[in-house]
Amino acid sequence: MTIGIKEVEEPRRRVPLVGVISGMATVGKHLFQKPVTLKYPEEKPDLPERFRFRIYLKLDDCVGCTLCEQVCPNGSIKMQNVHRENPRNKRMIYPDVNFGTCTVCRNCEEICPTDAIYLTHVFETSRTRNNFTYSPEELAMDEDKVKK
Amino acid sequence: MSLLQTLYGIFSFLGHYPGYAISYLIETVLYLIVISLFLIFMIYLFRKFMARLQLRLGPNRVGKFGSLQLIADALKLVGKESILPKERDDLPYRVAPMIVMVGLFLAFTILPYGSLIGIGSLTVTNSAVTLVLVFAVISIMPIGEVLAGVSSHNKYALIGALRSIAKDISFEVPMMISILAIVMMASARVPDSLSISSIVSAQFLPYAVLQPLGIFVFFTAMVARASYTPFDMGESDSELVSGYSTEYTGMRFAMFYVGLFGSILLGSMLVSLLYLSGYNGPLSTDVGVIWLVIKAMILVLISFTVWLSMPRIRIDKFVNFGWKYLLPISFANLIISGILTLGLGW
Amino acid sequence: MSELMQLNIGPQHPSTHGVLRLKVKVEGEIIREVEPVIGYLHRNAEKLCEMTYYCDNLVYFDRMDYVASMNMEAGYLEAAEKLLGIPPPERAIYIRTIMNELSRIASHLVWAGAFGLDLGMLTPFFYCFVQREKILRIFTEACGSRQETNYFSIGGVYQDLTPEIVDHVKAFITEFPRKLEEIYNLFAKNDVFIQRTKGIGYLSPEVAIQYGVTGPILRASGVPYDVRKAEPYLLYDRVNFDIPVSKKGDSLARFLVRFEEMRQSIRILGQIIDKIPEGPFFNPKAKKPLMIRLRGDGEVYARTESSKGEFGVYIVGDGGVKPYRVHVRSPAFKNLSILPVLAKDQMIADLISISGSIDLVFGEIDR
């Protein structure tokens, strides 16, 4: 295979000011285009289907295998004891998530054998300093029901 | 009938001199308020214009379409703590922004504005040498910038101030020579050729048509005077943080900021007065001030587009540009206008 | 000999990309000495990689060159997959190549915008970012994140490309060249821009090789070296593209080389976007619960061409589930070493434009 080499050409030397004026025209043309930004809280962005942020947990599906705790690169996930009747989760341990250190890498979702832990579109999760950690029950709740 | 005479009519009971003094004072204060409001509007316009060119929305929170944003910003700047550098040279440091503001507002009171229906002539200073006065006052402003840079004991500010001086020296000579061409042309038609209003009345054709080189030199000089991109070497925000105004905060910084926009407006007004026949328009002269504002605003928008689309020129290249290109061009312009005036009798 | 003034530029300065600090000795406006000081964004990524599983390290590699995260992931996986012996399937290779080239374009767009800002052009920055946002939109559709994507996994990719994403990539590569020319003209036709870049910061090929400079900067000095050609990985031995080269070696040449690289990336994308084969998108050896049970033994070094230059990853495995040692040869770090040479005896304004033309990303330099 031959190595294709392309020598880049310097822009031609032109009459002075022509480029400046054409640049001004190009910039001026954008005055009539639609802005790309949104007034955020009023207009919600159109998020793609796979956009992920807030972690949810299906308490009934979780088998307490601790894979998510192991795979979490930052140690944001810790297993907690929750007294709850679940025949699949004999050890009664469920993950909690510290959103202060979570990087939304989605490894926990990828590795979960029962798809119990999963990420969703919800991204409006304002927290105060001491409330970054979601307990397993809070992970199962809707965002607006979680005590902040 | 002018605004001044209307005011004198109210205060004439005080006698001749006190009456005129008070009318002048009131008129000047009135102008300051109007021009301050206009500058605030201009900053709003700039931010909206810049946002739309950059495919953004711009200010949109405070008031309808963000129209009160600038008021909010001004209040914020007034309320800010004034942080003074420890090793400053106190007096020049405090005086510098005021010099810039005073120079700017003085220049605005000297310009002729034409007339408006119901009020009459809006011109404050009816002197025979307003042109000389305006340029004398404009050249006060760089002193403020230099004082600010030297007194704030900051290396960035110092370099900014030095660049500012180098820049001012290199564009002011071509600027004055291009003005000379105008005075020469006007002197063939009107007696007081050093007064801006007679220069305006002498323009049977806008001088932009007769002196295309002259308007190029003068507009470039005005861009450099206001010091925005491409000629903002003095404050070049990506190299020298903020140039001579690096150490200024709060209201003092706002003065420099307003000074920048004021210079743009002043430059646009001067160009439209000297080269685009100012307040003369196709319709009746009673709406002269509106024509002036329209012409100035078009020039302001052009200035903004230049600002937003150009990279910054390097200081040594600018000095080269000033002496090697602008100066010969302005001389050529002077010679051509001389030929037009004397040879062809225009 | 007049006295030199010491000027400290950064780490908080409007034009230092990220947290670069430059100790500069100036004589008036002329720079006599530059000393870059780095380490303000040091996050210990290489050491952190020794403490997590092979599949998790991608998270740290994402955060190295955060404007071209897919390039970083591809570089790590070249090494890690060799070590673990898990080759990706054909479809994953195609997906990786597409994402790699999109990421390269995104990185160069960020560079072009920031370079404009360094020179005082306010507006082209936004046009670059609008285009980049379209690429990031494609990334979000593919994997759910804009920048720190964590999309490639050991033995494939985490999520398959849907036909809609392929359509969006196609739409992007049809409309992007026109926008690119518009941005290019804003820069290259402007006399002041040419004046600020032409002949500034000349780098001779010999000095460039001595300092270990790679990537667009080396190519702008006239050395046609590109890892994609010299040691092809992914699909690069099966697609046609040219190495853009310039003999001038100045800031303008670096600018032109990067813009030509974007055009070549579009060319690569156009060749492979229609040929994505059907099939699995990950290797079943690395499927779900096995992800953290992968064991590697031995040492391996792999190099790839990131948007900044040659990106090398060295991994030592001791038979455990975590690597024993990870080392990164980061291109931007080597490229930064050329700054004192280039900026000597230039003006302060040129220092900014030279450091802009090197394309510094501090996530990668400090790691």
Side-chain angles (χ1 to χ4, degrees):
Chain A
M1 192 182 68
T2 54
I3 296 176
I5 294 174
K6 185 172 181 187
E7 184 119 1
V8 291
E9 284 174 27
E10 288 199 358
R12 276 183 298 119
R13 183 115 182 91
R14 300 150 62 92
V15 189
L17 282 179
V18 172
V20 173
I21 291 164
S22 78
M24 278 168 66
T26 313
V27 171
K29 204 174 67 185
H30 286 81
L31 185 63
F32 307 105
Q33 289 184 8
K34 205 169 165 285
V36 291
T37 49
L38 295 172
K39 287 185 186 178
Y40 163 61
E42 292 97 27
E43 300 166 25
K44 301 283 183 201
D46 167 33
L47 293 172
E49 193 193 337
R50 286 180 184 170
F51 179 85
R52 296 296 149 85
F53 184 71
R54 158 86 148 85
I55 297 176
Y56 278 79
L57 178 69
K58 288 184 206 145
L59 288 172
D60 292 336
D61 286 357
C62 182
V63 293
C65 64
T66 73
L67 275 174
C68 48
E69 185 188 15
Q70 291 176 47
V71 83
C72 184
N74 285 341
S76 302
I77 297 181
K78 293 273 180 303
M79 303 309 282
Q80 302 290 342
N81 283 313
V82 178
H83 292 286
R84 194 172 178 284
E85 276 308 309
N86 187 352
R88 301 176 68 186
N89 196 339
K90 293 279 192 302
R91 289 186 282 174
M92 293 199 283
I93 50 171
Y94 296 89
D96 72 352
V97 175
N98 181 356
F99 270 86
T101 56
C102 177
T103 58
V104 207
C105 65
R106 311 183 315 283
N107 279 353
C108 48
E109 181 185 353
E110 295 294 339
I111 204 159
C112 185
T114 57
D115 290 338
I117 192 162
Y118 60 102
L119 285 82
T120 53
H121 268 104
V122 179
F123 65 96
E124 288 163 322
T125 57
S126 60
R127 300 277 114 203
T128 50
R129 182 174 299 193
N130 300 321
N131 282 332
F132 276 122
T133 307
Y134 282 59
S135 69
E137 291 96 335
E138 281 174 338
L139 282 179
M141 281 184 221
D142 276 342
E143 180 57 34
D144 46 357
K145 298 212 178 70
V146 178
K147 194 163 116 290
K148 304 216 163 140
Chain B
M1 194 68 179
S2 72
L3 184 60
L4 185 70
Q5 261 134 20
T6 320
L7 285 170
Y8 178 67
I10 301 168
F11 292 103
S12 55
F13 62 89
L14 292 169
H16 184 73
Y17 287 113
Y20 266 116
I22 287 196
S23 337
Y24 264 122
L25 195 67
I26 290 176
E27 194 179 7
T28 312
V29 170
L30 213 64
Y31 272 57
L32 290 190
I33 294 166
V34 170
I35 283 166
S36 305
L37 289 176
F38 198 80
L39 287 180
I40 286 178
F41 164 73
M42 231 179 85
I43 298 174
Y44 170 74
L45 179 78
F46 171 68
R47 290 183 55 178
K48 261 309 201 207
F49 186 73
M50 173 164 79
R52 291 311 300 271
L53 285 185
Q54 296 170 347
L55 304 173
R56 296 184 288 124
L57 286 167
N60 58 40
R61 292 286 147 190
V62 191
K64 193 86 180 154
F65 303 115
S67 50
L68 299 177
Q69 180 70 48
L70 267 297
I71 311 283
D73 281 356
L75 285 177
K76 181 203 77 176
L77 284 171
V78 171
K80 259 188 161 179
E81 182 192 359
S82 187
I83 301 167
L84 303 170
K86 201 173 169 189
E87 299 193 23
R88 68 188 183 276
D89 200 348
D90 196 60
L91 183 69
Y93 180 85
R94 286 169 192 275
V95 165
M98 290 168 202
I99 291 177
V100 172
M101 286 300 268
V102 167
L104 182 72
F105 282 121
L106 268 184
F108 274 115
T109 55
I110 297 166
L111 296 182
Y113 291 99
S115 51
L116 193 65
I117 309 167
I119 301 175
S121 169
L122 294 168
T123 313
V124 191
T125 314
N126 294 304
S127 162
V129 287
T130 42
L131 192 64
V132 180
L133 256 178
V134 159
F135 285 98
V137 166
I138 287 179
S139 47
I140 294 177
M141 290 170 66
I143 298 173
E145 293 169 2
V146 172
L147 277 184
V150 173
S151 67
S152 54
H153 197 82
N154 179 310
K155 288 168 186 171
Y156 290 118
L158 183 65
I159 296 175
L162 295 180
R163 283 186 182 186
S164 226
I165 300 170
K167 179 191 73 182
D168 286 333
I169 291 171
S170 42
F171 78 79
E172 283 198 347
V173 176
M175 177 177 85
M176 294 320 287
I177 289 172
S178 63
I179 293 298
L180 208 58
I182 285 189
V183 173
M184 186 168 73
M185 240 180 196
S187 64
R189 294 188 160 258
V190 285
D192 291 335
S193 59
L194 282 177
S195 138
I196 297 179
S197 45
S198 39
I199 289 175
V200 172
S201 61
Q203 294 182 41
F204 61 102
L205 262 178
Y207 282 165
V209 181
L210 298 178
Q211 306 182 359
L213 292 176
I215 190 173
F216 169 71
V217 173
F218 191 74
F219 191 72
T220 313
M222 279 297 136
V223 173
R225 170 64 254 131
S227 78
Y228 52 89
T229 339
F231 303 132
D232 63 340
M233 292 80 72
E235 47 193 40
S236 53
D237 48 1
S238 68
E239 293 148 27
L240 302 178
V241 188
S242 188
Y244 49 79
S245 57
T246 303
E247 291 286 349
Y248 282 86
T249 53
M251 205 54 220
R252 291 196 177 86
F253 173 75
M255 282 183 179
F256 281 114
Y257 195 66
V258 170
L260 164 65
F261 281 89
S263 304
I264 296 175
L265 182 62
L266 184 65
S268 307
M269 286 226 173
L270 275 174
V271 171
S272 47
L273 281 169
L274 297 177
Y275 286 96
L276 302 172
S277 66
Y279 43 76
N280 288 335
L283 292 174
S284 138
T285 49
D286 284 347
V287 289
V289 66
I290 293 173
W291 280 115
L292 182 64
V293 168
I294 288 174
K295 284 170 186 171
M297 285 325 282
I298 290 171
L299 284 169
V300 162
L301 288 182
I302 291 174
S303 313
F304 286 166
T305 318
V306 171
W307 184 348
L308 294 170
S309 67
M310 291 277 281
R312 182 178 306 115
I313 198 165
R314 218 170 66 192
I315 180 68
D316 58 330
K317 300 270 174 164
F318 178 72
V319 174
N320 259 345
F321 175 67
W323 292 107
K324 285 191 187 162
Y325 294 94
L326 282 188
L327 193 61
I329 289 175
S330 57
F331 270 118
N333 176 51
L334 187 64
I335 292 165
I336 294 170
S337 351
I339 293 168
L340 287 181
T341 315
L342 294 176
L344 303 175
W346 279 4
Chain C
M1 186 72 191
S2 60
E3 200 183 339
L4 298 183
M5 178 170 85
Q6 187 160 1
L7 190 68
N8 184 41
I9 300 181
Q12 281 100 27
H13 185 273
S15 81
T16 53
H17 299 252
V19 284
L20 172 64
R21 178 174 163 221
L22 296 169
K23 282 202 260 178
V24 182
K25 289 208 170 118
V26 288
E27 188 182 332
E29 284 260 343
I30 314 287
I31 287 165
R32 295 298 181 206
E33 215 180 297
V34 187
E35 186 189 332
V37 182
I38 59 168
Y40 293 92
L41 200 63
H42 181 58
R43 291 159 301 179
N44 222 344
E46 287 162 343
K47 194 72 187 166
L48 280 171
C49 286
E50 296 166 15
M51 299 178 181
T52 45
Y53 301 98
Y54 282 103
C55 64
D56 280 347
N57 290 345
L58 285 164
V59 175
Y60 302 120
F61 275 82
D62 274 338
R63 280 156 185 78
M64 280 186 193
D65 186 353
Y66 39 76
V67 293
S69 54
M70 298 280 194
N71 288 165
M72 298 289 114
E73 291 177 12
Y76 170 70
L77 289 176
E78 278 299 308
E81 284 171 353
K82 238 191 261 177
L83 183 74
L84 302 171
I86 301 173
E90 189 71 8
R91 185 175 172 86
I93 293 178
Y94 270 83
I95 295 174
R96 281 188 195 175
T97 315
I98 290 168
M99 291 302 170
N100 227 326
E101 290 308 312
L102 284 175
S103 198
R104 191 184 310 279
I105 296 173
S107 168
H108 284 337
L109 282 173
V110 172
W111 169 81
F115 188 48
L117 277 189
D118 283 345
L119 296 176
M121 291 174 104
L122 298 173
T123 313
F125 177 79
F126 290 89
Y127 303 158
C128 292
F129 268 60
V130 166
Q131 295 308 313
R132 171 175 177 260
E133 203 57 40
K134 289 179 183 164
I135 296 173
L136 297 187
R137 173 87 192 177
I138 292 168
F139 288 173
T140 320
E141 282 164 0
C143 67
S145 312
R146 288 168 72 253
Q147 251 186 312
E148 275 82 29
T149 47
N150 194 24
Y151 182 45
F152 302 166
S153 71
I154 288 176
V157 293
Y158 277 128
Q159 280 147 321
D160 200 5
L161 275 197
T162 58
E164 292 87 62
I165 300 173
V166 176
D167 287 344
H168 288 169
V169 176
K170 278 182 195 161
F172 177 76
I173 58 179
T174 45
E175 72 178 34
F176 178 65
R178 202 169 51 82
K179 298 281 183 190
L180 185 66
E181 288 315 305
E182 196 176 281
I183 296 168
Y184 173 81
N185 288 341
L186 269 181
F187 285 108
K189 288 194 177 169
N190 197 313
D191 308 307
V192 182
F193 177 80
I194 299 290
Q195 208 183 55
R196 282 298 300 275
T197 51
K198 194 170 183 172
I200 302 296
Y202 171 72
L203 177 62
S204 67
E206 295 80 28
V207 176
I209 291 168
Q210 274 172 18
Y211 277 77
V213 170
T214 47
I217 307 176
L218 182 66
R219 295 194 277 278
S221 291
V223 183
Y225 173 74
D226 189 325
V227 183
R228 289 179 291 174
K229 289 279 191 195
E231 198 178 89
Y233 59 103
L234 296 180
L235 280 178
Y236 292 116
D237 49 351
R238 283 182 262 172
V239 290
N240 286 321
F241 65 99
D242 299 331
I243 306 177
V245 167
S246 171
K247 294 214 164 45
K248 295 285 195 293
D250 51 5
S251 288
L252 181 61
R254 297 192 264 277
F255 165 83
L256 294 170
V257 164
R258 287 206 176 87
F259 267 76
E260 185 59 36
E261 244 177 55
M262 283 195 253
R263 294 187 196 115
Q264 296 297 336
S265 291
I266 291 291
R267 205 175 134 198
I268 294 171
L269 286 172
Q271 287 170 40
I272 57 178
I273 190 71
D274 286 324
K275 292 189 201 154
I276 306 175
E278 293 298 317
F281 58 92
F282 66 93
N283 191 323
K285 275 204 245 170
K287 68 174 192 277
K288 267 187 174 178
L290 297 177
M291 250 163 69
I292 57 171
R293 297 283 175 266
L294 302 168
R295 285 165 200 280
D297 200 356
E299 55 183 309
V300 64
Y301 178 80
R303 50 186 191 156
T304 51
E305 181 78 15
S306 90
S307 61
K308 315 283 181 297
E310 181 182 321
F311 179 67
V313 181
Y314 174 68
I315 308 178
V316 182
D318 58 354
V321 290
K322 295 172 182 177
Y324 178 73
R325 172 89 174 97
V326 176
H327 175 73
V328 173
R329 183 231 186 262
S330 93
F333 177 69
K334 301 283 192 290
N335 293 352
L336 175 63
S337 68
I338 204 75
L339 181 64
V341 181
L342 293 187
K344 195 167 184 318
D345 296 339
Q346 303 277 351
M347 303 187 75
I348 294 176
D350 289 338
L351 169 70
I352 305 301
S353 88
I354 290 168
S355 79
S357 77
I358 291 179
D359 194 4
L360 304 167
V361 170
F362 264 77
E364 191 191 20
I365 291 173
D366 290 344
R367 297 194 287 283

